[in-house]
Amino acid sequence: MRLKRGSVSRRHFLAVTGLGAAALMIGGAKRTSVATSEGSPLGERVSLATWPNYHDPQTFEDFTARYGVKVDVSIIGSNEGTMQALKDGRAWDIIVPTQYAIAPYFQRDMLHPLDLRSLPNFDLKAHADRFLKPGVKAGAIYAVPKNAGTTGIAYNTQHLAPIETWRGFFDSAMGNASGKTIVHDYQLTAIGGALVALGYGFNSLDPAELAQAEELLMQVRPHLLAVDSDYQPAMRAGEAWLTMCWSNDAAQMHRDIPEIAYAIASDGGEIWTDYYAIPVAAQNKPAAHALINHLLHPDIAAREHLVHGGTATDSRVRALLPKEILANRITYPDEAKLTPLEFGLAVVMTDPTRAEIMNRFRAARG
């Protein structure tokens, strides 16, 4: 909780994580857009598994133009799905895990420690301790922050009155938004939202509470347009009026279609941070480091931010953003709005009961 509130000092953080030496190693490094690869060839292709609507395609075109390496982008819908794909033999060079997923990856020896010498654009001092800590395991850095955000409710104000709670979300989905609602294809948020709607904790593993959450999900299932983590196309086309939504998606949709509003549910929900990490099975680790380094350059990250709308965790990036962006309450909400939210817990990611509930929910007839 002290880390969540940002009350842990940098000196204490460096001492308990063993990052003091790392800070010394990179503290004097000159920021550069030229990726270092320790003399290793970067190859022809590098692959990235990332979330929907999360990057500016121009960023990858610029990387290819600079280094001659093509970027293959795969879209993921959940941390669980990404881990299972890796277990099944998929070999992405970079993944974008959420903070609670890093520990399960590390415990299963699925992540490669990052070579900070190949990431001169990463500045330890530019990130608050609460963003750094999830990526540190056994005194090494396995993941570096990309950006943060919240999970809330997006709705079309031309068709729906304000919806500000998860109870209201499910009631509307079975009422005037029936047939026009999308729920994430992601057990953390789908089940978490149902739990909060019932007055329980977002991360609950209590069997009785999970049974009630499943019952609510099954009640709403026939009313849904889709169970899908890539909901922007339907919301933009007007096919959907209501969806579970990540704040970066909400910022994009509201920017282009002002009638699509976003609410951080007052009864609870999720706050999150996403990271760049390299799997052990990555086939092109030099290019993976090069691409991460490219993405971490403040100028490039700031341009990406203007496209994807995530909350910048890097103080250098924030310094480059226009005032109107920093004043956007979807991306940078008032602190009071964040109070009821919870970070996802690692144990939730691998809980078999929640996995089974989600599988039954997906398979149920809409």
Side-chain angles (χ1 to χ4, degrees), residues 239-256:
E239 298 171 2
W241 299 348
L242 177 64
T243 186
M244 290 184 171
C245 185
W246 291 302
S247 55
N248 57 293
D249 281 316
Q252 294 172 39
M253 291 190 290
H254 181 71
R255 176 190 64 209
D256 299 336

Side-chain angles (χ1 to χ4, degrees), residues 218-334:
M218 290 304 187
Q219 288 174 357
V220 78
R221 185 67 179 90
H223 297 272
L224 298 180
L225 173 67
V227 177
D228 195 347
S229 296
D230 192 6
Y231 41 79
Q232 276 211 45
M235 287 292 291
R236 287 175 178 272
E239 298 171 2
W241 299 348
L242 177 64
T243 186
M244 290 184 171
C245 185
W246 291 302
S247 55
N248 57 293
D249 281 316
Q252 294 172 39
M253 291 190 290
H254 181 71
R255 176 190 64 209
D256 299 336
I257 308 174
E259 56 265 33
I260 297 179
Y262 178 73
I264 296 174
S266 60
D267 49 356
E270 183 194 21
I271 184 172
W272 48 264
T273 307
D274 284 340
Y275 293 75
Y276 293 118
I278 298 176
V280 166
Q283 297 179 345
N284 192 347
K285 293 182 178 69
H289 280 89
L291 180 55
I292 292 174
N293 190 60
H294 182 74
L295 290 162
L296 292 177
H297 189 287
D299 292 341
I300 294 170
R303 291 203 309 270
E304 284 242 311
H305 184 288
L306 297 178
V307 173
H308 66 62
T311 304
T313 63
D314 188 324
S315 61
R316 301 169 302 169
V317 175
R318 289 199 188 206
L320 296 172
L321 296 174
K323 291 181 179 179
E324 59 268 25
I325 296 295
L326 298 174
N328 185 332
R329 290 296 171 249
I330 294 176
T331 306
Y332 297 96
D334 294 330

Side-chain angles (χ1 to χ4, degrees), residues 186-196 202 210 213 217 354 357-358:
Y186 184 19
Q187 68 94 344
L188 179 76
T189 49
I191 297 174
L195 285 164
V196 172
F202 179 81
L210 288 174
L217 288 170
R354 288 182 65 133
I357 290 172
M358 193 64 197

